[in-house]
Amino acid sequence: MKNAYKLLCLLCLILAQLTALPALAQTRAVSGKVTGPDGAGIPGVTVVVKGTTQGTGTDPNGDFRLENVPEQATLVISSVGFKAEEMALNGRSTLNVKLAEETQQLGDVVVVGYGTQQKSHLTGAVGKVTNENLSQIPVARPDQALIGKLAGVQILTTNAQAGAAPTIQVRSSASITAGSSPLIVVDGYPVPTDLSAIDMNDVESIEVLKDAASAAIYGSRGANGVILVTTKSGKSGKTKVSFNTYAGVQNTVKRLPLYNLDEWAAYVRSQNNDVLSPQILTAQRFNANTDAQDIVFRTGNMQSYQLNVQGGSDAAKFFVSGSYLKNKGVVLNNDYTKYNVRANVDFKLSKNFDAGISINPSYADQNELAVSLHDAIRSIPNWIPVYTDAATAAVTGKPVGSYLHQRDFDITRNPFYATTGLPTISTSGDNNGLAQINGQPARNTELRTISNGYVKWNITPGLSFRSSLGFFTRNYERTYFQSSYAKTDAYTQGDAVARAATRATLSTNSVLDVLNENIASYKRDIGLHSFDAIAGYTVQGTQYKSANEEATNFATDNIQTLNAGTASAVSSSKEENRLQSFLFRVNYAYKETYLLSLGSRWDGSTRFGANNRWGYFPSASVGVRVSEMPFLKGNPTLSELKVRASFGATGNNNIGNYSSRALVAPAGAVLGASEGVTPAFNVSTYGNPNLGWERTLSLNAGLDLGFFDNRLRLTVDAYESTTDKLLLNVPISSVTGFDSYLANQGKIRNRGLELEATGRIIQSTNVNWTLTGVAAFTRNELVDLGGAQQLISTGDPKRNNFFLAQVGQPLVQFYGYQTDRQVPMTGTNYWPIGVAAERVIVKDLNGDGKIDANDRTALGSPYPTFTWGLTNTLRVGPADLSVVLQGSHGAKIFNIDPHYYEGQFTATGSTAYLNLSPADQAFTRIKSETDYEVQDASYVALRSLNLGYAVPKSFGQKAGLSNLRVYVTTANLFYIMAKGYTSLNPEGISADFANDPLRKGWQKGAYPVARTIALGINAEF
């Protein structure tokens, strides 16, 4: 019995082994090599067992090896730039694969409003940028990374402070009073602000709808173009972890060419018979040679860290990321910090239902300079130190170490200095720039959240319905404190004056936006006919709240909360608007050759008059793919030829929430002699119930060409758009109690030509070289100004300068006198350093022997006539290089900075004028009224340079990495400004008129362009 039991156990063991043999035979190791068309191995190719997350990548020689692969498995082999292949093993353990090049762009999918479309079937003007190394450009915002990438899209660093938003214009300006910024749409959500909440690392692609036929689907908000941002989403398969970081330094690309005291003294000796004025001799006693730019400017830095995780299965896919960015600006006390989190999750609920949710909170913290840059620099003179030293204390009576100001050397303002017998050498009553900067801390914080959820019902093949609900919130706070030493000086003016000058403000505003969209989509092919249609209903409501508080007369600078001062002002506001819309679009193709797109949108908005609430915005576009016709199909040279044309109408609703209504404002009323003043309200604006949309009608003609299997591609777009029904303040009879009201009158026309060319110059396994160029020629014209022929606007009220809006000319031009010659400084005291006459002798243009308003003329326009960008991408083995050049030409800028840096508002500047003969005096005008300060704003910049190296996989795998790349990246490595431009940023526009197209191009104290050099790492796990 015992032996029988042993025998039974032995038989069971043998049976188990025999049973296991087939199972062991079902899996095996598979190795192989992946090559390109030239037979060379391709590194970095993904090799995955189909239907699983099991996979690997090829090494630098194109070799791969996979363990435990089922005998009958199918491998999926894919790589960017090559067609994916699926290979069944059929029991093989060795597999060699040759990949064919992917024909680029014809099969590209382009995001359009409320859907996608194949690029080959596109009949409108849509620009697209994918995130290939854009996230590695060392800039604080995603819009800055797009500069030079899209034809007809101008992105200007009008404010170069760290964290400040650039100005974006698509195809020039289409409005005077309703704003010219494009609509921003993030993952289908039209947000009521800018792109600052988006992390470039999260972006998959950015499309720009440029013509009205493309943008008309956004109706009353599409006149200025539409920017569509698509963020990354999860993909089925193995979970992938990616990390991107860079850190670097920043400095200014240019400094002002200002004299120091020694240089100025040498110049004066050469001009004034070797004689120096008493003022210069006095200044030399202090031997300071202070450089204001060394004090105000600094070496900045930037660091960025981003981690994301993506993956999922057929049932659920996810993309989750978090990032941190810190930018210490190149100007003292200016820095920017941003935190960003994103989660995109998509679910397959059942065969017929999908759902998803995305949420993107971000927090930004900016410390900004509260004093104008030109004021800060000009109020730190070269001839005295910033802080009182022994030499200056002896003549000013101020304690050593205290802030030293120019007025301390004025005999009328400092009694102690008056006793020294020295002459007044002060030319400004302002505090020195460092005191102004340190004494006025200003901080802006902002919390934004975009969240959106959807449910999609796949009703039948090709027919679906999607409903979404989203929220956008913004909570902003600004704090400002003016210390006792920022603009006053207790030592010379007394403590009471200094304390009375203290001031603090707290400003808050919030935005709550709610959006519901319901879109039905239908797509079907019937024989040679293809249909793609959408229809939908959307409703969006926005609420704005703001509050402002102010306190003064603080007892101490150390406690800066409002309750430490005396409350002096309080205000608050609340506004709302609603937008209700119906939309429709159908795309049709016959034989993949003849293309047609028709669309319409109906918008109803509370912003417009009761008699004109609804607007209709139709569009139509057609195209013919000539290359698909029998006589051209298969042509080895001309692989793509498509002609297209579009026409559409869009609108602009950026006019404020209550511009159509008669508003009231607080006023006092006396009801009787004994009653006193009773609070009341007066009508403050004249209502217009017929106020409607600004409407832009746009015609676009395009040509798409591809040569040599589309290795060379060219896109040409020519357009003309006319904006009529401009919102203008029109004069009205005084019997109404008002002098003007807002009405739909006026017309602007924009014309332009856009070019985009891409060449895949070398396309091989180890070498890839692609060159892309974009260019745009633009012209705008004021066609109608509400019946008037011209409008002259005044800029700075202290320094007269003028702008001209004239029918038949560009929307705005600088206006004034033409300079004939300079006023000589002979006979003056040549003080302060770098002083110049405040006037110039101008030309008598009409030849009547006198200078008057009739001698003024147009002096140039702030709009460029030609913009371009050039992107050069090269990969050689594991090394890659990307270079972006960008330029702008033809624009002028009114730069008032010389008025400050040349010390023209001084007695010396006036003396130079008084030394002229009466006849010459009659022919002079203040420089700000002339072309002396109208300068060339053209520039060429190396916007970005990115040089990377992919570390061999064998090295990275030792650290648990699937891919590792190191890189050096730069922004504005060189920035060439026009010869006649004298300041720090030709793109800079003063905030005073930044949003006023009729006074566009006025510059005062623009922040310097920053150059950034950084080192970075990309890692994948």
Side-chain angles (χ1 to χ4, degrees):
M1 186 71 180
K2 187 174 181 181
N3 292 333
Y5 174 75
K6 290 180 178 180
L7 180 61
L8 180 62
C9 290
L10 180 60
L11 290 173
C12 290
L13 180 61
I14 293 172
L15 181 62
Q17 294 294 324
L18 292 173
T19 305
L21 285 176
L24 289 174
Q26 289 176 358
T27 62
R28 63 177 61 194
V30 177
S31 61
K33 187 180 186 71
V34 181
T35 60
D38 57 358
I42 307 175
V45 177
T46 300
V47 182
V48 178
V49 178
K50 187 176 181 179
T52 74
T53 61
Q54 182 184 2
T56 187
T58 59
D59 64 17
N61 298 316
D63 296 320
F64 71 91
R65 181 179 176 84
L66 272 172
E67 302 289 343
N68 300 320
V69 180
E71 285 185 336
Q72 302 305 315
T74 297
L75 299 187
V76 180
I77 302 98
S78 61
S79 181
V80 175
F82 297 90
K83 293 180 179 179
E85 293 282 354
E86 293 190 8
M87 304 290 290
L89 288 179
N90 296 324
R92 290 177 292 177
S93 59
T94 302
L95 194 67
N96 294 318
V97 183
K98 187 174 184 178
L99 295 183
E101 290 182 12
E102 180 71 79
T103 300
Q104 294 184 347
Q105 297 192 356
L106 279 180
D108 282 357
V109 174
V110 177
V111 177
V112 294
Y114 303 97
T116 60
Q117 195 173 0
Q118 278 190 317
K119 186 177 178 67
S120 59
H121 286 46
L122 199 63
T123 52
V126 180
K128 178 176 181 177
V129 176
T130 56
N131 190 0
E132 297 174 5
N133 297 337
L134 288 181
S135 57
Q136 298 160 19
I137 300 174
V139 292
R141 302 169 52 94
D143 32 26
Q144 294 170 322
L146 298 177
I147 298 176
K149 292 284 187 176
L150 293 162
V153 180
Q154 188 180 20
I155 302 174
L156 295 174
T157 311
T158 50
N159 181 356
Q161 286 203 62
T167 298
I168 305 176
Q169 281 195 335
V170 178
R171 292 187 167 180
S172 195
S173 181
S175 180
I176 291 178
T177 59
S180 58
S181 297
L183 175 68
I184 306 295
V185 180
V186 180
D187 289 333
Y189 196 120
V191 297
T193 54
D194 56 28
L195 283 168
S196 60
I198 306 300
D199 186 338
M200 196 67 218
N201 289 277
D202 295 340
V203 173
E204 184 75 31
S205 69
I206 295 178
E207 277 89 353
V208 180
L209 311 182
K210 296 187 286 187
D211 67 325
S214 302
I217 199 69
Y218 289 100
S220 62
R221 297 172 292 179
N224 297 318
V226 182
I227 297 178
L228 306 176
V229 180
T230 303
T231 62
K232 296 175 181 178
S233 57
K235 295 179 175 61
S236 298
K238 181 180 179 181
T239 299
K240 184 172 72 173
V241 180
S242 300
F243 178 67
N244 181 36
T245 181
Y246 63 78
V249 297
Q250 291 183 310
N251 55 33
T252 60
V253 301
K254 181 183 177 182
R255 289 168 67 100
L256 296 167
L258 303 179
Y259 284 101
N260 62 37
L261 182 57
D262 293 338
E263 293 168 341
W264 183 246
Y267 171 77
V268 172
R269 288 183 186 277
S270 70
Q271 299 295 310
N272 199 37
N273 297 320
D274 206 32
V275 175
L276 297 179
S277 66
Q279 289 81 5
I280 296 176
L281 293 171
T282 301
Q284 287 180 330
R285 295 177 50 160
F286 309 121
N287 194 31
N289 272 325
T290 302
D291 190 332
Q293 295 178 90
D294 283 344
I295 295 168
V296 175
F297 300 151
R298 64 183 179 183
T299 299
N301 60 61
M302 178 178 283
Q303 51 186 312
S304 172
Y305 307 90
Q306 199 264 5
L307 180 70
N308 69 68
V309 182
Q310 61 179 317
S313 62
D314 292 338
K317 303 172 186 177
F318 62 89
F319 175 88
V320 180
S321 71
S323 64
Y324 166 80
L325 181 141
K326 175 72 174 180
N327 182 196
K328 174 185 172 184
V330 296
V331 176
L332 193 65
N333 288 3
N334 172 222
D335 55 66
Y336 176 72
T337 305
K338 184 171 77 172
Y339 304 85
N340 193 288
V341 175
R342 171 173 293 277
N344 294 343
V345 185
D346 297 287
F347 303 96
K348 185 70 176 176
L349 301 179
S350 67
K351 178 181 178 181
N352 296 102
F353 285 94
D354 302 323
I357 187 170
S358 66
I359 183 168
N360 175 209
S362 68
Y363 176 78
D365 188 343
Q366 180 195 42
N367 291 308
E368 70 172 11
L369 210 62
V371 59
S372 297
L373 185 65
H374 71 284
D375 277 336
I377 291 176
R378 75 184 181 104
S379 57
I380 303 178
N382 176 260
W383 46 271
I384 56 173
V386 174
Y387 299 104
T388 306
D389 58 12
T392 52
V395 298
T396 62
K398 298 185 68 173
V400 172
S402 62
Y403 283 113
L404 193 61
H405 314 297
Q406 287 198 57
R407 65 168 173 271
D408 296 329
F409 300 84
D410 188 332
I411 60 176
T412 66
R413 297 184 179 184
N414 186 352
F416 189 95
Y417 183 76
T419 66
T420 64
L422 297 172
T424 292
I425 52 176
S426 169
T427 58
S428 172
D430 294 341
N431 279 18
N432 86 51
L434 185 60
Q436 293 186 58
I437 292 172
N438 291 337
Q440 298 179 82
R443 183 184 182 193
N444 306 309
T445 59
E446 181 182 64
L447 176 63
R448 297 190 189 196
T449 301
I450 305 175
S451 56
N452 202 7
Y454 75 90
V455 174
K456 182 180 179 182
W457 179 21
N458 301 301
I459 304 170
T460 63
L463 177 63
S464 64
F465 176 78
R466 188 181 191 273
S467 183
S468 65
L469 179 64
F471 300 88
F472 171 88
T473 62
R474 176 181 185 260
N475 292 283
Y476 169 86
E477 179 181 280
R478 174 181 171 82
T479 58
Y480 166 81
F481 187 78
Q482 182 174 298
S483 304
S484 61
Y485 60 86
K487 296 187 176 181
T488 55
D489 186 355
Y491 294 111
T492 57
Q493 297 173 289
D495 190 65
V497 172
R499 288 288 150 218
T502 56
R503 182 170 66 93
T505 61
L506 172 63
S507 302
T508 60
N509 67 61
S510 64
V511 178
L512 172 61
D513 185 89
V514 182
L515 171 69
N516 172 235
E517 294 185 328
N518 303 276
I519 308 295
S521 303
Y522 179 70
K523 183 179 293 187
R524 187 175 181 185
D525 295 335
I526 304 175
L528 300 176
H529 308 272
S530 297
F531 299 89
D532 181 358
I534 62 168
Y537 168 76
T538 76
V539 60
Q540 189 166 6
T542 312
Q543 182 186 85
Y544 306 85
K545 292 181 180 179
S546 67
N548 298 280
E549 302 170 69
E550 180 177 300
T552 58
N553 201 23
F554 285 73
T556 175
D557 293 335
N558 297 323
I559 302 176
Q560 300 179 358
T561 52
L562 296 179
N563 60 330
T566 302
S568 57
V570 178
S571 65
S572 64
S573 68
K574 178 181 177 181
E575 299 182 12
E576 295 180 344
N577 71 68
R578 298 287 184 272
L579 180 69
Q580 188 176 193
S581 307
F582 299 90
L583 57 94
F584 167 79
R585 183 181 63 221
V586 59
N587 298 323
Y588 168 73
Y590 176 63
K591 290 185 176 180
E592 298 289 306
T593 302
Y594 303 97
L595 312 171
L596 172 68
S597 180
L598 300 173
S600 296
R601 181 166 177 137
W602 295 262
D603 276 349
S605 172
T606 59
R607 286 181 165 179
F608 291 92
N611 301 334
N612 212 354
R613 284 282 167 85
W614 285 87
Y616 173 56
F617 306 96
S619 66
S621 58
V622 295
V624 178
R625 297 182 66 196
V626 182
S627 54
E628 291 298 300
M629 294 182 173
F631 70 92
L632 260 185
K633 192 167 187 177
N635 188 290
T637 302
L638 185 61
S639 46
E640 173 71 5
L641 172 59
K642 180 173 65 177
V643 294
R644 49 188 168 79
S646 68
F647 180 80
T650 52
N652 191 337
N653 68 353
N654 293 319
I655 65 164
N657 294 313
Y658 305 114
S659 297
S660 67
R661 304 186 184 187
L663 303 180
V664 296
V670 179
L671 302 180
S674 61
E675 298 293 332
V677 178
T678 301
F681 292 90
N682 275 343
V683 178
S684 59
T685 61
Y686 189 86
N688 180 2
N690 296 314
L691 191 69
W693 321 90
E694 286 191 345
R695 181 183 64 176
T696 297
L697 303 174
S698 176
L699 177 65
N700 192 98
L703 180 67
D704 299 324
L705 293 166
F707 301 93
F708 312 114
D709 198 21
N710 291 301
R711 292 191 64 163
L712 174 62
R713 292 189 59 85
L714 175 66
T715 297
V716 182
D717 279 285
Y719 66 90
E720 177 177 303
S721 63
T722 301
T723 302
D724 61 4
K725 301 181 180 181
L726 286 179
L727 294 165
L728 298 175
N729 284 301
V730 178
I732 191 174
S733 173
S734 59
V735 298
T736 63
F738 300 91
D739 55 9
S740 67
Y741 77 111
L742 195 62
N744 293 103
Q745 295 190 26
K747 185 182 294 185
I748 294 173
R749 179 180 296 122
N750 285 290
R751 294 187 178 101
L753 177 68
E754 298 170 353
L755 306 171
E756 179 177 346
T758 298
R760 293 183 291 138
I761 301 170
I762 299 176
Q763 197 79 17
S764 67
T765 304
N766 289 316
V767 180
N768 287 274
W769 181 18
T770 302
L771 191 63
T772 299
V774 297
F777 302 85
T778 57
R779 298 287 188 277
N780 66 23
E781 178 188 352
L782 182 60
V783 179
D784 181 9
L785 194 57
Q789 286 302 302
Q790 66 178 38
L791 174 66
I792 299 174
S793 305
T794 302
D796 187 344
K798 293 182 179 180
R799 325 282 183 241
N800 284 343
N801 65 293
F802 305 100
F803 299 84
L804 173 66
Q806 186 177 43
V807 172
Q809 299 298 321
L811 175 58
V812 66
Q813 300 175 91
F814 305 115
Y815 189 58
Y817 301 94
Q818 289 184 354
T819 301
D820 185 25
R821 62 187 188 277
Q822 299 288 325
V823 173
M825 297 299 296
T826 307
T828 71
N829 60 12
Y830 291 94
W831 187 254
I833 296 173
V835 69
E838 65 180 350
R839 290 172 172 258
V840 290
I841 299 172
V842 300
K843 294 179 180 180
D844 177 15
L845 292 185
N846 63 2
D848 62 0
K850 62 181 180 180
I851 297 298
D852 56 21
N854 295 320
D855 293 301
R856 294 185 297 182
T857 187
L859 303 174
S861 169
Y863 294 100
T865 56
F866 174 53
T867 57
W868 59 274
L870 186 65
T871 302
N872 191 9
T873 305
L874 175 67
R875 181 181 67 82
V876 180
D880 61 89
L881 174 67
S882 176
V883 178
V884 178
L885 286 165
Q886 185 259 338
S888 175
H889 308 272
K892 302 290 185 182
I893 197 163
F894 189 96
N895 179 19
I896 202 170
D897 287 350
H899 243 60
Y900 297 93
Y901 299 138
E902 293 177 0
Q904 295 169 11
F905 305 115
T906 65
T908 306
S910 299
T911 300
Y913 159 75
L914 294 173
N915 289 342
L916 293 173
S917 67
D920 281 344
Q921 288 182 12
F923 273 66
T924 65
R925 287 294 183 269
I926 300 293
K927 286 180 175 177
S928 61
E929 298 179 326
T930 74
D931 59 0
Y932 179 83
E933 288 168 353
V934 176
Q935 300 179 347
D936 189 351
S938 302
Y939 64 86
V940 174
L942 177 55
R943 287 300 189 180
S944 67
L945 184 151
N946 191 297
L947 176 62
Y949 178 78
V951 177
K953 286 184 176 294
S954 58
F955 177 84
Q957 288 171 351
K958 294 178 181 178
L961 303 174
S962 57
N963 288 293
L964 177 63
R965 176 178 175 270
V966 294
Y967 62 91
V968 58
T969 182
T970 72
N972 298 319
L973 188 61
F974 72 74
Y975 193 111
I976 302 172
M977 304 176 192
K979 186 177 181 180
Y981 178 73
T982 60
S983 287
L984 302 169
N985 178 8
E987 304 171 65
I989 301 296
S990 174
D992 298 319
F993 308 131
N995 297 315
D996 186 351
L998 294 181
R999 292 185 287 184
K1000 181 181 175 67
W1002 189 74
Q1003 181 177 111
K1004 181 173 73 172
Y1007 276 68
V1009 176
R1011 175 191 294 113
T1012 307
I1013 302 175
L1015 296 175
I1017 296 174
N1018 295 129
E1020 292 183 1
F1021 302 86

